[in-house]
Amino acid sequence: MAISIRHLASVAVCLQCLRVPAQGGRLLVVPVDGSHWLSMRILVQELHARGHHIVVVFPENNLVIHRAPEYSSKTFRTAYSKQHVRDIYRSLIRFPFINGTFFERFSENLRLIQKFSDFFLITCEGLLRDSELLRELAEGEFDALFTDPFSPCGSIVAAHLSLPSVFLLRGVPCGLDYEAAQCPRPLSYVPRHFTGNADRMSFSQRVHNVLGLVMESVVCHVTYSRFDELAARFLQKEVTVKELLSRGAIWLLRFDFVFEYPRPLMPNMILVGGMNCKDRKPLPEELEEFMNSSGEYGAVIFSLGSMVSDVPIETADQIAEALGQIPQKVLWRHTGVKPSTLAPNTKLMKWMPQNDLLRHPKTRAFISHGGMHGIYEAICAGVPMVLVPLFADQLENVLRIKNQNAGILIDLKNMSSRDLVEALNTVINDTRYKENMMRLSSLHKDQPVKPLDLSVHWVEFVMKHKGAEHLRPAAHELNWIQYNCLDVIGFLLAIVLVSFYLMIKCCTVCYRCLGRTKKQEKKKSD
Amino acid sequence: MAISIRHLASVAVCLQCLRVPAQGGRLLVVPVDGSHWLSMRILVQELHARGHHIVVVFPENNLVIHRAPEYSSKTFRTAYSKQHVRDIYRSLIRFPFINGTFFERFSENLRLIQKFSDFFLITCEGLLRDSELLRELAEGEFDALFTDPFSPCGSIVAAHLSLPSVFLLRGVPCGLDYEAAQCPRPLSYVPRHFTGNADRMSFSQRVHNVLGLVMESVVCHVTYSRFDELAARFLQKEVTVKELLSRGAIWLLRFDFVFEYPRPLMPNMILVGGMNCKDRKPLPEELEEFMNSSGEYGAVIFSLGSMVSDVPIETADQIAEALGQIPQKVLWRHTGVKPSTLAPNTKLMKWMPQNDLLRHPKTRAFISHGGMHGIYEAICAGVPMVLVPLFADQLENVLRIKNQNAGILIDLKNMSSRDLVEALNTVINDTRYKENMMRLSSLHKDQPVKPLDLSVHWVEFVMKHKGAEHLRPAAHELNWIQYNCLDVIGFLLAIVLVSFYLMIKCCTVCYRCLGRTKKQEKKKSD
């Protein structure tokens, strides 16, 4: 009887330890402002719809994070104004217009990166200084923390509150994400940031890729070294951003291999590219009319994303002139001054329902800056693209679409009206672009679980199981020498060398002995 | 108008090229006999249920592959009898009784591996010699080929028929699978075969792991070198087994990270461990009565798998004696001579519904050889195990369960009755074993898609898209030197050395010039 009772008790204990908040879990969200929040919000909305209680922590002065009924908002003060936030995000449009040699452009880029890093750092300091807010969060009984490791602030909070964390990201701009997750990135076919390489590289491109390591480490240093200091100061222990990121239970990566070059992944990396794709909803009447009025030629959708909806007036004039030369109607998301060359076929809008427009049967092409949202909406809708990368990961993104022959890349700085007209005519009239985009669309959609459902599953998994420890590789416990087995190689090499030395020594001694014996024999015989 | 028609035509072409056999696809299956077929059959049955037409090709004389209504059977002759097949599989029970030093055991193991390799080779030659059958298959209009790369015969047929292939496997016994898929296996935390290492290794274990590479390459040579010759002869071109396997579109791996140590994966590796777990079906009346008669102590299930259901009579006597000493009832799958020491609490059976028995509420423990089927059925049912590994991957499997403290390992060769009794009492009465198994069970079951559905999805994916080319890494196009960037490192090193040399040279010249000038100045001043 004793056995049976113990047995039953053990099962009860086990079930108890796995309190399963399939509904009614508590999730703390520390987002990054800007377009990054737009992805995260989709998942937050879905988690709310599934009955979880969500608390989002964000700075009072921000660009796109607002209070909403789906989550409780907790704000904190920062040492900058709302106007400063607007200005700093508006400065992003400077990226594509940087001139000079490679090194001049790289150092100017570094300066801009440094500026953004400063901005994220000040934001994080605002949060970590708010002891009242931190106390509230500590009492919040959260099951997990959901953040974007682009800014490591969420990871610092997770470490402070001892919460398991889930990351949602496209990537950290210097490969620190892969390093932190212990994910191999063979230099021979995984292109490094800033190199413009694809997965198939010539010898010189591989040289460039190896040198890319240096650039990545410079960017990592510029972006995260002061976060190392902040984390160590706040958590009162020696810790780096890489170590904090390495504790991420699940990495939700906003791409899949329809878009990204095939490469190794770790067990806790989950691909959720296209989680923003939604079924088509009806357009507002006015837009529906506009689209249908495009006739057999169809329409072109044009947006440079949520962060940069206006471009310098000279460039806007050039673009407007080009758009006037195509037979399609054009919907252009543009918040700047109306270009003087705007043609009657082009309609400017402050905001547009991009996903619904791309899925409209009249849509023929999409002019985009190459953000992940737009690219996946285009892939889902099967619409070929004209790509005008501006900053951050956008050049790398558009190169992937270009390599698939599903879009044409245009350099905004050196673009003429003629270039844009030619690119549009090509992607619309050369059927291969449409075919390639349809192929990508078909491959992308053929998934066993929709990316949004997959994301929800893994966030809930971490909430239920208090992490995903069984997916954490033992590599995290090794230093660089151990990971690469350099100590073992050194040891084996030493054994081989010593054996070789001893063998030579033995042979020499034997040879000498033999020599002596012969001499003695000779003497005797003499 | 021309634009519109071209546009529509292109879409039509694109849809045409993606003929989607969601139902009614045609799949060719080239299985491996023995327990490997039992996994494959589950998926074949499911694919049949979803409306696909399946043709299974197998040797006339085999162990467990029979004609069945779910598939069309195509058989071929081989140069061995049915009795020979039975004898060769029965010889598996010799593995755990091999004595001697490590090297004696390793070489005896190699001899047995060689014997099996010969057997697979003869089987494959039988298939490749049957030109009539091959002609039929060529005319079969298959969408894909489904095989177990443990024997590369299926891959040779896939290359011959130019069919994309899907693999289902636990692993190839020498790591050739990971090499062929270009999947990194860092030596520092991914244990090599035959080493008995886990993912966390001491220095000496890492040395052993590095040396394990040599053992793996010997086993690879013994197992597959003659298949290299056969493939090259049959396909009339220079080709190796590794190259053939590298063409696998999807690798369905019969484990997950609840069981396996976390390690990198490639995009085309899909984890389907536990695809054999099924919901509990009612037991036959007699068995249900037997289980219920076990009272509060419950029952123990005992099976050494489908390949070895009887053990030598002395061992069987020892086991029966031990089983008589526990208060539980025991169901033992045993086809050999009835042990003289058999106690009344033990019932022998020729076959048992293992999954249903493990899921019975009276089941307290499972004595198993550590095959993947049994392990996953135990994980799904949350039943702690006593593990008696016999051959192949079983020792490696049971070490994983032992490391999770969800089972106890027993060495069949040196086992006494007392050892078995103690092991059974421990896993039944020490609640931690049950708790750990329940934890594994909970983690394993918390998946977004059931492993069997996931397997079906990916087989259908390959059938629809004629492969999964977008998941194939560019690494396949690189040789060893390129993959490891040794040429780039050499080049950069040469540049550094030449620069250094030139710098030294310049300094020397400058120093000499300076020396001369000083001398001249000194002369002048003298």
Side-chain angles (χ1 to χ4, degrees):
Chain A
M1 186 65 187
I3 294 167
S4 182
I5 288 168
R6 275 179 70 185
H7 173 82
L8 287 172
S10 81
V11 179
V13 166
C14 185
L15 290 175
Q16 176 65 21
C17 73
L18 292 168
R19 186 173 68 88
V20 182
Q23 283 201 326
R26 291 180 61 80
L27 185 69
L28 175 60
V29 180
V30 183
V32 167
D33 197 10
S35 63
H36 290 231
W37 165 244
L38 303 182
S39 304
M40 200 166 245
R41 195 181 57 188
I42 295 167
L43 187 47
V44 164
Q45 284 168 338
E46 190 63 28
L47 285 162
H48 165 75
R50 302 206 189 188
H52 299 290
H53 180 70
I54 296 157
V55 175
V56 182
V57 178
F58 55 92
E60 268 176 10
N61 292 327
N62 74 78
L63 199 70
V64 294
I65 315 178
H66 310 298
R67 290 172 189 277
E70 302 100 68
Y71 48 82
S72 305
S73 302
K74 302 266 179 200
T75 58
F76 57 89
R77 291 193 179 173
T78 49
Y80 50 71
S81 66
K82 192 136 189 150
Q83 187 54 43
H84 178 74
V85 183
R86 279 195 212 105
D87 289 346
I88 202 155
Y89 279 101
R90 197 163 283 163
S91 72
L92 286 170
I93 193 63
R94 276 176 46 209
F95 272 90
F97 294 97
I98 295 172
N99 281 314
T101 64
F102 174 79
F103 286 106
E104 282 166 354
R105 279 180 288 128
F106 184 66
S107 70
E108 179 61 16
N109 268 314
L110 269 190
R111 228 180 48 74
L112 278 166
I113 290 171
Q114 169 98 55
K115 194 170 156 185
F116 267 84
S117 171
D118 286 349
F119 174 68
F120 287 136
L121 193 81
I122 294 169
T123 310
C124 193
E125 280 171 344
L127 169 54
L128 302 184
R129 256 202 305 266
D130 194 334
S131 50
E132 178 60 25
L133 174 58
L134 288 175
R135 197 185 50 73
E136 265 182 59
L137 298 181
E139 289 166 0
E141 294 192 347
F142 293 105
D143 297 301
L145 184 142
F146 180 39
T147 189
D148 180 338
F150 193 80
S151 160
C153 204
S155 293
I156 299 175
V157 176
H160 174 66
L161 302 177
S162 304
L163 287 177
S165 49
V166 179
F167 298 151
L168 178 69
L169 70 161
R170 159 70 179 103
V172 167
C174 59
L176 193 68
D177 43 352
Y178 281 83
E179 267 187 56
Q182 296 285 355
C183 185
R185 287 197 301 161
L187 274 160
S188 47
Y189 72 96
V190 182
R192 287 297 178 271
H193 294 283
F194 321 112
T195 59
N197 284 338
D199 56 347
R200 283 166 177 82
M201 304 178 217
S202 64
F203 176 76
S204 61
Q205 284 171 325
R206 280 193 294 119
V207 171
H208 195 185
N209 218 38
V210 171
L211 296 176
L213 270 184
V214 183
M215 288 191 279
E216 280 193 347
S217 68
V218 172
V219 172
C220 259
H221 180 77
V222 167
T223 316
Y224 296 117
S225 60
R226 277 156 324 138
F227 271 103
D228 287 345
E229 292 160 22
L230 175 65
R233 204 165 61 235
F234 178 73
L235 298 170
Q236 297 281 307
K237 60 178 172 184
E238 271 310 303
V239 71
T240 62
V241 169
K242 186 178 151 188
E243 278 166 44
L244 289 175
L245 296 192
S246 78
R247 297 183 196 163
I250 292 289
W251 298 68
L252 300 175
L253 303 175
R254 292 197 289 113
F255 57 78
D256 64 4
F257 291 113
V258 166
F259 163 83
E260 182 57 288
Y261 306 120
R263 57 200 286 175
L265 288 176
M266 293 311 281
N268 60 348
M269 291 178 155
I270 312 292
L271 304 188
V272 297
M275 60 179 268
N276 57 310
C277 289
K278 288 177 191 154
D279 291 335
R280 179 186 163 204
K281 289 197 299 285
L283 291 173
E285 207 171 322
E286 187 201 3
L287 273 186
E288 183 66 38
E289 260 176 40
F290 181 84
M291 294 297 283
N292 288 333
S293 71
S294 65
E296 65 188 69
Y297 289 111
V300 169
I301 311 300
F302 180 8
S303 167
L304 295 183
S306 56
M307 306 313 299
V308 180
S309 50
D310 55 338
V311 287
I313 186 66
E314 307 77 33
T315 315
D317 279 341
Q318 266 189 328
I319 291 172
E321 192 190 328
L323 298 178
Q325 294 173 42
I326 59 170
Q328 282 76 25
K329 291 240 170 170
V330 183
L331 274 176
W332 179 5
R333 185 183 177 199
H334 179 70
T335 55
V337 180
K338 184 178 168 183
S340 58
T341 50
L342 198 72
N345 70 332
T346 307
K347 182 182 172 70
L348 297 184
M349 300 186 76
K350 297 277 181 216
W351 179 87
M352 54 166 73
Q354 188 171 286
N355 185 63
D356 304 328
L357 284 169
L358 287 173
R359 292 195 168 220
H360 195 282
K362 289 285 184 191
T363 302
R364 297 287 181 265
F366 179 32
I367 310 173
S368 163
H369 61 308
M372 292 301 280
H373 265 243
I375 283 186
Y376 267 100
E377 283 176 355
I379 288 176
C380 290
V383 175
M385 304 178 83
V386 171
L387 296 146
V388 192
L390 301 178
F391 54 84
D393 57 337
Q394 293 163 10
L395 178 61
E396 294 176 24
N397 298 345
V398 305
L399 284 173
R400 282 154 175 77
I401 296 296
K402 180 176 170 274
N403 285 345
Q404 298 271 8
N405 286 322
I408 289 178
L409 167 60
I410 284 188
D411 179 8
L412 188 61
K413 192 172 61 188
N414 304 316
M415 178 189 78
S416 69
S417 296
R418 193 183 163 79
D419 292 337
L420 185 55
V421 172
E422 275 181 8
L424 277 169
N425 282 334
T426 308
V427 298
I428 293 171
N429 299 334
D430 184 339
T431 54
R432 284 173 301 177
Y433 288 90
K434 178 74 182 173
E435 279 167 27
N436 286 329
M437 209 37 139
M438 290 293 279
R439 182 177 53 79
L440 295 184
S441 188
S442 154
L443 290 171
H444 169 72
K445 287 179 184 167
D446 201 350
Q447 296 190 44
V449 194
K450 285 188 176 176
L452 186 56
D453 293 331
L454 194 62
S455 312
V456 168
H457 170 86
W458 283 105
V459 175
E460 287 186 337
F461 187 99
V462 172
M463 290 166 78
K464 275 185 224 170
H465 302 280
K466 305 289 175 213
E469 207 51 35
H470 69 298
L471 301 180
R472 186 177 168 81
H476 287 293
E477 292 156 31
L478 303 171
N479 61 37
W480 187 78
I481 290 176
Q482 290 168 328
Y483 181 90
N484 292 293
C485 279
L486 298 184
D487 49 352
V488 173
I489 292 168
F491 173 73
L492 293 176
L493 215 60
I495 289 184
V496 170
L497 289 177
V498 168
S499 309
F500 195 68
Y501 174 77
L502 289 177
M503 210 174 65
I504 297 277
K505 211 66 185 164
C506 280
C507 288
T508 319
V509 170
C510 289
Y511 184 75
R512 275 187 200 150
C513 287
L514 208 71
R516 264 182 224 152
T517 321
K518 277 192 177 167
K519 271 183 191 169
Q520 285 169 354
E521 278 173 3
K522 204 177 172 192
K523 271 183 190 173
K524 276 181 190 171
S525 64
D526 289 345
Chain B
M1 186 67 187
I3 294 166
S4 181
I5 288 169
R6 276 178 70 186
H7 175 80
L8 288 172
S10 84
V11 179
V13 166
C14 187
L15 291 173
Q16 176 64 23
C17 75
L18 292 167
R19 186 173 69 89
V20 181
Q23 282 199 330
R26 291 180 62 80
L27 184 69
L28 176 60
V29 181
V30 183
V32 168
D33 197 9
S35 62
H36 290 233
W37 165 242
L38 303 181
S39 304
M40 200 165 246
R41 196 182 56 189
I42 295 167
L43 187 46
V44 164
Q45 284 168 337
E46 190 62 29
L47 285 162
H48 165 74
R50 302 204 188 189
H52 299 290
H53 180 69
I54 296 157
V55 174
V56 182
V57 178
F58 56 92
E60 267 177 11
N61 293 325
N62 73 79
L63 201 68
V64 295
I65 315 177
H66 310 298
R67 291 172 188 275
E70 300 100 69
Y71 48 82
S72 305
S73 302
K74 303 267 180 199
T75 58
F76 57 90
R77 290 194 178 174
T78 49
Y80 50 71
S81 67
K82 193 137 188 150
Q83 188 54 42
H84 178 74
V85 183
R86 281 196 209 104
D87 290 345
I88 202 155
Y89 279 101
R90 198 163 282 163
S91 70
L92 287 170
I93 192 64
R94 276 175 47 209
F95 274 90
F97 294 98
I98 295 171
N99 281 313
T101 63
F102 173 79
F103 285 106
E104 282 167 352
R105 280 180 288 129
F106 184 65
S107 70
E108 178 62 16
N109 268 313
L110 269 189
R111 226 180 49 75
L112 278 167
I113 289 171
Q114 169 96 56
K115 194 170 154 184
F116 267 85
S117 171
D118 286 349
F119 173 67
F120 287 135
L121 192 80
I122 294 169
T123 309
C124 192
E125 281 172 343
L127 169 54
L128 301 184
R129 257 203 305 266
D130 195 333
S131 49
E132 178 60 23
L133 174 58
L134 288 175
R135 197 185 49 75
E136 267 182 60
L137 298 182
E139 289 166 2
E141 294 192 347
F142 294 104
D143 297 301
L145 184 142
F146 181 39
T147 188
D148 180 337
F150 193 80
S151 160
C153 204
S155 292
I156 300 174
V157 176
H160 174 64
L161 301 178
S162 304
L163 287 176
S165 49
V166 179
F167 298 151
L168 178 70
L169 70 161
R170 158 71 178 102
V172 167
C174 59
L176 193 67
D177 42 353
Y178 282 83
E179 268 188 57
Q182 295 286 356
C183 184
R185 287 196 301 160
L187 275 161
S188 48
Y189 72 97
V190 182
R192 286 298 178 272
H193 294 283
F194 321 113
T195 59
N197 284 338
D199 55 347
R200 284 166 176 82
M201 304 180 215
S202 64
F203 176 76
S204 61
Q205 284 170 326
R206 279 193 293 119
V207 172
H208 195 184
N209 217 40
V210 171
L211 296 176
L213 271 184
V214 183
M215 287 191 280
E216 280 193 349
S217 67
V218 172
V219 172
C220 259
H221 180 77
V222 167
T223 316
Y224 295 117
S225 60
R226 275 155 325 137
F227 271 102
D228 287 344
E229 292 160 23
L230 176 64
R233 204 166 59 235
F234 178 73
L235 298 171
Q236 297 281 310
K237 59 178 173 185
E238 271 311 302
V239 70
T240 62
V241 169
K242 186 178 150 189
E243 279 166 42
L244 288 175
L245 295 191
S246 78
R247 297 183 196 164
I250 292 289
W251 297 70
L252 300 174
L253 302 175
R254 292 197 289 111
F255 57 77
D256 63 5
F257 292 114
V258 166
F259 163 83
E260 182 56 285
Y261 306 120
R263 58 199 283 174
L265 289 176
M266 293 310 283
N268 61 347
M269 291 178 154
I270 311 293
L271 303 188
V272 297
M275 60 179 266
N276 56 312
C277 289
K278 288 177 192 156
D279 292 335
R280 181 188 163 205
K281 288 196 298 286
L283 292 173
E285 207 171 321
E286 189 200 2
L287 272 187
E288 183 66 38
E289 260 176 41
F290 181 86
M291 294 297 283
N292 288 332
S293 72
S294 65
E296 65 188 71
Y297 289 110
V300 169
I301 312 300
F302 181 6
S303 168
L304 295 184
S306 55
M307 306 313 299
V308 179
S309 50
D310 55 339
V311 289
I313 186 67
E314 307 79 31
T315 314
D317 279 340
Q318 268 189 328
I319 290 171
E321 193 189 326
L323 297 177
Q325 294 173 41
I326 59 169
Q328 283 76 24
K329 291 239 169 168
V330 183
L331 274 177
W332 179 6
R333 184 183 179 200
H334 179 70
T335 55
V337 180
K338 185 178 169 182
S340 58
T341 52
L342 198 73
N345 70 333
T346 307
K347 181 182 173 73
L348 298 184
M349 300 185 76
K350 297 278 182 213
W351 179 88
M352 53 165 72
Q354 188 171 284
N355 185 62
D356 304 327
L357 284 168
L358 287 173
R359 294 199 165 215
H360 196 281
K362 289 285 184 190
T363 302
R364 297 287 180 266
F366 178 33
I367 311 174
S368 163
H369 62 307
M372 292 300 282
H373 265 241
I375 282 185
Y376 267 99
E377 283 177 354
I379 288 177
C380 290
V383 175
M385 304 178 84
V386 171
L387 297 146
V388 193
L390 301 176
F391 53 84
D393 57 337
Q394 293 164 11
L395 178 62
E396 292 175 27
N397 297 344
V398 306
L399 283 174
R400 282 154 174 78
I401 296 297
K402 180 176 169 274
N403 286 344
Q404 298 271 9
N405 285 322
I408 289 178
L409 167 60
I410 284 187
D411 177 9
L412 188 62
K413 192 171 61 189
N414 304 315
M415 178 190 77
S416 70
S417 297
R418 193 183 164 80
D419 293 335
L420 185 55
V421 173
E422 276 181 6
L424 278 169
N425 283 333
T426 308
V427 298
I428 293 171
N429 299 333
D430 184 338
T431 53
R432 285 172 301 179
Y433 288 89
K434 178 73 183 174
E435 279 166 28
N436 287 329
M437 211 35 141
M438 290 293 280
R439 181 176 53 78
L440 296 185
S441 188
S442 156
L443 290 171
H444 169 71
K445 287 179 184 167
D446 201 350
Q447 295 189 45
V449 194
K450 286 189 174 174
L452 185 56
D453 293 330
L454 194 63
S455 312
V456 168
H457 169 84
W458 282 106
V459 175
E460 288 185 338
F461 187 99
V462 172
M463 289 165 78
K464 274 184 227 172
H465 302 279
K466 306 289 174 214
E469 206 54 33
H470 68 299
L471 300 180
R472 186 177 169 82
H476 286 294
E477 291 155 32
L478 301 170
N479 62 35
W480 187 78
I481 290 176
Q482 291 167 328
Y483 180 90
N484 293 291
C485 280
L486 297 184
D487 48 354
V488 174
I489 293 169
F491 173 72
L492 293 176
L493 214 61
I495 288 182
V496 169
L497 288 178
V498 168
S499 309
F500 195 68
Y501 174 76
L502 290 177
M503 209 172 66
I504 298 277
K505 213 63 186 163
C506 280
C507 288
T508 319
V509 169
C510 290
Y511 183 75
R512 274 189 201 150
C513 288
L514 208 70
R516 262 183 226 151
T517 320
K518 276 191 179 168
K519 270 184 191 170
Q520 283 169 354
E521 278 172 5
K522 206 178 170 190
K523 271 184 188 171
K524 274 181 190 169
S525 62
D526 287 344

